[in-house]
Amino acid sequence: MSLYCGITRRRKSFWCCRLLSTYVTKTRYLSELKEDDDACKKAQQTGAFYLFHNLAPLLQKSEHQYLAPQHSLLASLQKPEMETELKGSFIGLRKALFQLNVKDASLLSTAQALLRWHDAHQFCSRSGQPTKKNVAGSKRVCPSNKIIYYPQMTPVVITLVSDGTQCLLARQSSFPEGMYSALAGFCDIGESLEEAVRREVAEEVGLEVERLQYSASQHWPFPNGALMIACHATVKPGQTEIQVNLRELEAAAWFSHDEVATALRKDNPSYQQQNGAFPFWLPPKLAIAHQLIKEWVEKPTCSILPP
Ligand SMILES: NC(=O)C1=CN([C@@H]2O[C@H](COP(=O)(O)OP(=O)(O)OC[C@H]3O[C@@H](n4cnc5c(N)ncnc54)[C@H](O)[C@@H]3O)[C@@H](O)[C@H]2O)C=CC1
Ligand SMILES: [Mg+2]
């Protein structure tokens, strides 16, 4: 698509033309919809919608997968009629997330986080008056004092600690049986990413991080919309003795490269072994914890690059 812009200098007009990439065009269009209620209302007439009921998206079950159908603007129907009409059911996102394709999982996570934020920010914290949502849902405004509230994400660090040959994985009692993951924790106010990683590792397993390396980030819808910031970290040589903080974790342990590589190849084994224990398994592909662990398996030295 072309952009034409007119620049007037010293009474002469110059016209320049340049091609905008599809990504830039789309981004600018979305940015316009956030600011322009009329343009957004117009877009809604031809837009596609995901449906939610009490924060649960309407999904259709297909073998081992969930499909997230999109709909045009619908007449208002009650939940049971809606499910019958659209041949699906409203299913909790926690249950369905890992059985959705990447695009639907990402869009539904964003949508749910936004809906949850609106639900929790109905009133101005200064005036106590009801706030008003713009059409796009990208902000809320207090009509009495004009304070603008924007949706928030909470930063969370997630760190795969390694001693160069093994990596440290932990589990909380709320995790599914047998699943271990990298260490995660909410950033405290005023902290840098590096400080949050060092503090969380010290708090949860009693180790001192020597070096850390940023890997990637991911929006995570639970519990209230988090920005997961993933890092690799190494601990000081010879200082690998774990002291698990049992208020936060149920268990933590060092795992060898072979153990982790084998677990990475398996799906969630939802069976118990003969001795009653559940086999060791890792978070599913969609979770950034999985990507972090996979990176380490492919390149165990990824955390010992120069800082
Ligand atoms: N996408 C992924 O791969 C993974 C995501 N996670 C997410 O990371 C999040 C944080 O991990 P945790 O170990 O639970 O955090 P954590 O180690 O900071 O412990 C949670 C506790 O921190 C306190 N806390 C401090 N600030 C908080 C805030 N802003 N919101 C809520 N609680 C706060 C509360 O007392 C809470 O019980 C989890 O909610 C989990 O959903 C965790 C592992 C993997
Ligand atoms: Mg934690």
Side-chain angles (χ1 to χ4, degrees), residues 159-166 197-198 201 207-213 231-237 239-240 254 296 300-305:
T159 313
L160 188 65
V161 177
S162 160
D163 69 351
T165 55
Q166 311 171 93
V197 168
R198 293 205 156 89
V201 173
L207 293 174
E208 266 191 60
V209 164
E210 186 186 41
R211 283 182 175 167
L212 66 93
Q213 175 88 13
C231 294
H232 292 279
T234 44
V235 289
K236 293 187 174 164
Q239 294 187 16
T240 54
W254 290 103
W296 180 79
T301 52
C302 53
S303 51
I304 39 183
L305 295 168

Side-chain angles (χ1 to χ4, degrees), residues 172 184-185 200 204 248-249:
Q172 296 179 10
E200 277 295 330
E204 298 200 346
E248 303 211 14
L249 298 175

Side-chain angles (χ1 to χ4, degrees), residues 18-66:
R18 78 185 162 92
L19 289 176
L20 286 181
S21 73
T22 313
Y23 173 75
V24 171
T25 308
K26 183 179 141 194
T27 305
R28 291 195 173 169
Y29 176 60
L30 291 177
S31 156
E32 184 194 329
L33 296 188
K34 283 198 240 169
E35 295 305 320
D36 185 337
D37 282 357
D38 290 335
C40 195
K41 273 187 204 147
K42 198 171 155 212
Q44 284 178 346
Q45 298 308 312
T46 50
F49 293 77
Y50 287 118
L51 297 179
F52 282 82
H53 180 265
N54 282 347
L55 299 179
L58 184 112
L59 302 174
Q60 293 165 343
K61 185 86 177 147
S62 153
E63 303 206 345
H64 301 299
Q65 250 202 320
Y66 282 110

Side-chain angles (χ1 to χ4, degrees), residues 94 98 154-158 172 174-175 179 181-188 199-200 203-204 218-224 226 228 248-249 283-284 286-290:
R94 260 187 202 273
F98 298 116
T154 310
V156 171
V157 288
I158 175 155
Q172 296 179 10
S174 58
F175 284 8
M179 192 189 88
S181 186
L183 301 174
F186 294 94
C187 294
D188 277 351
R199 176 185 54 73
E200 277 295 330
E203 268 179 26
E204 298 200 346
Q218 174 188 54
H219 170 254
W220 190 242
F222 316 118
N224 294 312
M228 305 292 305
E248 303 211 14
L249 298 175
L286 201 74
I288 201 160
H290 182 102

Side-chain angles (χ1 to χ4, degrees), residues 123-131 140-149:
F123 296 92
C124 174
S125 57
R126 184 69 59 84
S127 69
Q129 296 294 313
T131 51
R140 299 189 74 91
V141 182
C142 173
S144 67
N145 56 25
K146 307 288 178 244
I147 293 178
I148 304 173
Y149 294 90

